[in-house]
Amino acid sequence: MTKDHHGDTAPPYDIKLSVKALESLLVEKGLVDPEAVDALIELFQNDIGPSNGKRVVARAWVDGGFKRWLLDDPNAAIASMRYVGSQGEQLRVLENTADVHNLVVCTLCSCYPWPLLGLPPVWYKSPPYRAQAVADPRGVMRQFGTEIGEEKEVRVWDSTSEMRYLVLPQRPPDTEGWREEELQNLVTRNSMIGVEDAQRPAKTGTS
């Protein structure tokens, strides 16, 4: 698997410094509320961004033909839902099964399918996650409350600027007959990275 990370999704370091300096200046002058900035980032990280990926997963759960298309030609399948854009052109979808659990990491930077998952979370970009995901993937998932038995194979996929990955989590039990819109509530950003399973119905209040 190639390790060429030219075209990294993270902006150059000098741009990061400039953005941080501008933010600090605006906060200092009372023009920006730092809590509002944090809330906006949280919104794009956890709600607005991942909503696209949630819709893709839910459709795959209810539509077998779409699921096969998604696994065979993910870029075309996702484009049919109009979820395209920078940092999402080359994508592979990894299906979790009863025998295999997939986990995504980017060991050298933070390559990430932005059009489907929004902004990458801070922990995804952190050196500890990037190192431990490769050395001890079960330990990483355990930190997120996910226990993967030794009988199940864990596969770790290293994203690059040429290839990004989306995990298709297993559909939770006891969801027969659920509509696509209801199933979306069970899909989380973390389950599409692979550090967690999709939520069980009891955790959502969806019926």
Side-chain angles (χ1 to χ4, degrees):
M1 186 178 297
T2 178
K3 295 288 185 177
D4 182 5
H5 286 248
H6 296 298
D8 181 5
T9 60
Y13 186 66
D14 57 342
I15 295 179
K16 289 183 180 180
L17 290 178
S18 297
V19 170
K20 196 66 181 176
L22 178 59
E23 179 186 338
S24 299
L25 180 61
L26 293 173
V27 169
E28 181 181 340
K29 290 184 175 295
L31 299 175
V32 171
D33 181 351
E35 293 185 1
V37 173
D38 292 341
L40 185 62
I41 293 174
E42 181 72 13
L43 182 67
F44 274 90
Q45 281 186 341
N46 297 319
D47 298 320
I48 294 176
S51 65
N52 292 346
K54 292 178 182 182
R55 293 187 184 99
V56 170
V57 170
R59 181 163 300 181
W61 283 348
V62 301
D63 185 338
F66 179 79
K67 177 181 174 180
R68 289 190 294 273
W69 188 18
L70 182 67
L71 295 173
D72 292 340
D73 190 356
N75 297 294
I78 291 168
S80 74
M81 299 180 69
R82 300 185 178 181
Y83 300 145
V84 295
S86 178
Q87 315 304 339
E89 297 89 347
Q90 296 299 320
L91 185 77
R92 179 174 177 183
V93 175
L94 313 166
E95 182 183 11
N96 283 352
T97 68
D99 301 315
V100 175
H101 186 98
N102 296 284
L103 177 69
V104 179
V105 66
C106 185
T107 55
L108 297 183
C109 54
S110 56
C111 292
Y112 191 76
W114 287 33
L116 295 175
L117 299 187
L119 299 174
V122 173
W123 56 261
Y124 181 83
K125 299 180 287 185
S126 69
Y129 172 76
R130 285 149 51 179
Q132 190 180 2
V134 175
D136 182 21
R138 284 183 168 81
V140 165
M141 290 184 284
R142 195 172 298 118
Q143 294 175 31
F144 286 86
T146 306
E147 287 288 345
I148 302 296
E150 292 298 327
E151 73 283 356
K152 181 177 287 194
E153 179 186 359
V154 174
R155 297 176 182 172
V156 179
W157 300 84
D158 191 1
S159 292
T160 71
S161 59
E162 287 79 26
M163 182 64 69
R164 290 167 173 79
Y165 300 97
L166 176 76
V167 173
L168 176 61
Q170 286 184 279
R171 179 171 175 168
D174 304 319
T175 59
E176 293 78 8
W178 282 38
R179 293 179 289 109
E180 187 175 321
E181 294 76 12
E182 295 174 307
L183 289 168
Q184 290 173 22
N185 296 323
L186 303 179
V187 186
T188 66
R189 176 201 62 200
N190 288 358
S191 69
M192 293 183 284
I193 296 173
V195 293
E196 295 176 352
D197 292 320
Q199 294 182 352
R200 296 294 182 101
K203 294 184 178 180
T204 67
T206 303
S207 60

